[in-house]
Amino acid sequence: MTRPVRVRFAPSPTGPLHIGGVRTALYNYLFARRHGGKMILRIEDTDSQRFVPGAEAYIIESLEWCGIHIDEGVGQGGPHAPYRQSERREIYLKYALQLVDAGWAYYAFDTADELNALRAQYEERGKTFAYNASVRERLATSLALPADEVRARIERGDQWVVRFKMPADETVRMHDLIRGDVEVNTSTLDDKVLYKSADALPTYHLANIVDDHLMEITHVIRGEEWLPSLPLHYLLYRAFGWEATQPEFAHLPLLLKPTGGGKLSKRDGDK
Ligand code: GLU
């Protein structure tokens, strides 16, 4: 059964809406209109460090100015409200812990200072530190520590994060509506943080997948800068058991600045 088309524009309020963001919003809007679907505006404001006051109002005003009409979302309401991720924070912990219970994620207790020291040690040896299968069973994680110590640390209020347990050596096969088939080996990827106890907030990856699922998004149309995150996103859908309703993905090529007659992606399409 084909589902009704639902797309979303999901900006982070970290500054003014730039032309790349407008292009992404426009493609989503046109795709929704073409297929009689819904255009959703979700504000992804879980990165408290990068939050810029006033950016959300600016984004909404810019979309209105461009004539891009939002059917559902921040400023409009709808069946999946709230659409601002900071107002959905209690949803995400449950999903992070579900992944830990299922063995797809784990607790990590390393402090920022410890991680900085590790990075420096690796650098001294001419290497780059990556949090992955080669270290996760040797560091302060729930994969290495006894279960009662993990519980004790959490109970006494030590700070922790939940990290995704990236499979050590697996080829993830993905499909992008623009690029076609894409393959990546997981040995090139690290164990991304999904949730942080320090601010009781998810990171982009977890919140984005959980919300796309709960908001019944059918197509994710976004900038190409998110393509490197796609293997993790595929694996998150698998880890949650949501593959049957996983959205289709389309990563839009970056907009290039005109450089005086050089290659211009816009012109390539005109021939
Ligand atoms: N919040 C992300 C951004 O600022 C959204 C990326 C996505 O569409 O998945 O671009």
Side-chain angles (χ1 to χ4, degrees):
M1 202 184 82
T2 52
R3 299 188 294 155
V5 165
R6 291 173 60 81
V7 295
R8 84 301 192 273
F9 180 51
S12 300
T14 52
L17 188 62
H18 53 80
I19 192 69
V22 172
R23 193 262 311 248
T24 299
L26 180 64
Y27 276 44
N28 275 284
Y29 176 68
L30 295 175
F31 189 83
R33 287 294 166 271
R34 167 77 178 79
H35 295 284
K38 291 266 192 298
M39 164 81 169
I40 290 128
L41 174 66
R42 182 171 74 226
I43 297 289
E44 300 204 328
D45 57 349
T46 59
D47 189 346
S48 40
Q49 310 281 312
R50 296 178 59 226
F51 181 80
V52 174
E56 179 190 301
Y58 183 93
I59 290 168
I60 293 174
E61 203 186 307
S62 306
L63 294 176
E64 272 169 20
W65 186 87
C66 294
I68 297 176
H69 177 73
I70 301 301
D71 299 306
E72 209 180 292
V74 171
Q76 294 292 330
H80 298 285
Y83 292 88
R84 205 177 274 116
Q85 288 186 328
S86 59
E87 291 169 15
R88 302 169 63 77
R89 56 168 73 218
E90 68 283 359
I91 295 177
Y92 307 111
L93 177 60
K94 176 182 116 188
Y95 288 105
L97 299 186
Q98 183 179 318
L99 293 183
V100 175
D101 287 344
W104 274 101
Y106 59 92
Y107 292 100
F109 298 94
D110 322 86
T111 62
D113 287 347
E114 285 163 354
L115 288 176
N116 286 336
L118 274 169
R119 281 187 202 107
Q121 276 172 29
Y122 272 65
E123 243 165 63
E124 266 170 36
R125 287 184 275 134
K127 294 191 170 157
T128 308
F129 173 73
Y131 215 115
N132 60 22
S134 70
V135 298
R136 66 191 172 210
E137 278 160 36
R138 292 190 279 120
L139 296 176
T141 69
S142 55
L143 302 174
L145 302 168
D148 51 352
E149 189 179 339
V150 171
R151 217 169 306 121
R153 283 183 180 230
I154 294 172
E155 275 163 19
R156 73 170 182 242
D158 282 10
Q159 285 188 5
W160 48 267
V161 297
V162 169
R163 283 184 183 270
F164 188 71
K165 192 175 166 200
M166 185 58 72
D169 176 19
E170 187 194 316
T171 301
V172 184
R173 295 192 168 78
M174 298 156 282
H175 186 75
D176 181 86
L177 292 169
I178 296 171
R179 295 238 169 184
D181 293 330
V182 185
E183 280 187 10
V184 170
N185 190 283
T186 53
S187 62
T188 62
L189 305 171
D190 60 354
D191 291 0
K192 286 275 180 279
V193 172
L194 301 177
Y195 189 91
K196 296 170 279 135
S197 74
D199 52 10
L201 278 173
T203 58
Y204 155 75
H205 300 290
L206 180 71
N208 187 271
I209 293 322
V210 165
D211 283 348
D212 280 349
H213 173 73
L214 296 177
M215 295 178 183
E216 301 173 87
I217 299 303
T218 56
H219 297 79
V220 169
I221 304 170
R222 62 185 173 189
E224 197 169 55
E225 67 272 26
W226 298 105
L227 195 56
S229 302
L230 192 58
L232 172 61
H233 295 180
Y234 259 65
L235 290 169
L236 281 169
Y237 280 101
R238 191 199 297 173
F240 282 121
W242 296 338
E243 285 157 301
T245 53
Q246 177 178 312
E248 293 198 64
F249 291 90
H251 289 87
L252 306 172
L254 296 181
L255 289 179
L256 299 177
K257 275 191 195 147
T259 49
K263 271 187 222 153
L264 219 159
S265 61
K266 177 179 153 281
R267 297 257 163 82
D268 294 345
D270 289 344
K271 286 183 193 133

